[in-house]
Amino acid sequence: MGKIAERLAQLGIVLPDPAIPSANYVPTRRVGTCLYVAGQVPTREGQDQFTGKLGDTVSLAEGQAAARLCAINLLAQLSKALDGDLDRVAGVVRLGGFVNAVPEFGDHSKVINGASDLMVEVFGDAGRHVRIAVGSSSLPRNVPVEVEGLFEIQRM
């Protein structure tokens, strides 16, 4: 068992089977030593676990939990692309977070912390990244959060 797999086990995280794209895109794409992971939504076993808008039917705590689940799904896609060897991740470069929110909502960054915090919990200092957290008037299937990622990979 690798170092990152051990860390996931310590955190009680079991990576799910990665979601199959629901439109015309690929889940991951390698460019040089970087691996891009397409936006992931808060699903588990093919079912959306959260729906609605922040500032309306979804609380800040629920939004953070949804972002954390998005990050777990990012790791699942990443693991598949790396044949299960997450120790090949040299660092998390960037996360892009999209928050389905009412116009008056202003805590987008706090919501996406759910994903950012997980990356640091899993990868330590290598999990620190640049980030964007933006509001959106809607997201696919009315999920409250979507998160994409860019990872630096060693030994490609």
Side-chain angles (χ1 to χ4, degrees):
M1 180 180 283
K3 180 179 100 174
I4 300 302
E6 286 178 13
R7 184 68 186 133
L8 289 169
Q10 290 170 352
L11 294 169
I13 296 172
V14 176
L15 296 180
D17 290 333
I20 297 168
S22 60
N24 188 14
Y25 66 93
V26 294
T28 60
R29 172 94 190 253
R30 188 184 111 200
V31 178
T33 60
C34 288
L35 187 65
Y36 293 81
V37 181
Q40 300 296 303
V41 296
T43 60
R44 186 178 296 122
E45 297 177 12
Q47 299 295 315
D48 295 329
Q49 299 299 299
F50 299 89
T51 57
K53 287 186 177 289
L54 273 292
D56 183 23
T57 59
V58 178
S59 70
L60 178 59
E62 290 169 324
Q64 290 169 330
R68 183 177 178 91
L69 182 53
C70 291
I72 289 170
N73 290 334
L74 279 173
L75 294 177
Q77 293 289 359
L78 187 60
S79 180
K80 181 178 180 184
L82 297 175
D83 297 322
D85 186 4
L86 289 174
D87 287 339
R88 291 175 57 196
V89 175
V92 181
V93 176
R94 179 185 184 275
L95 293 182
F98 304 89
V99 180
N100 182 5
V102 298
E104 300 80 21
F105 186 78
D107 286 331
H108 306 86
S109 290
K110 290 179 183 176
V111 171
I112 301 304
N113 279 346
S116 292
D117 292 348
L118 179 73
M119 293 301 167
V120 175
E121 289 174 34
V122 171
F123 295 107
D125 281 341
R128 299 194 184 284
H129 52 274
V130 298
R131 181 181 89 177
I132 187 170
V134 298
S136 175
S137 63
S138 68
L139 287 172
R141 299 188 309 274
N142 198 36
V143 297
V145 183
E146 182 171 355
V147 180
E148 64 176 4
L150 173 60
F151 300 85
E152 183 181 7
I153 306 303
Q154 54 190 337
R155 299 187 323 263
M156 288 301 282

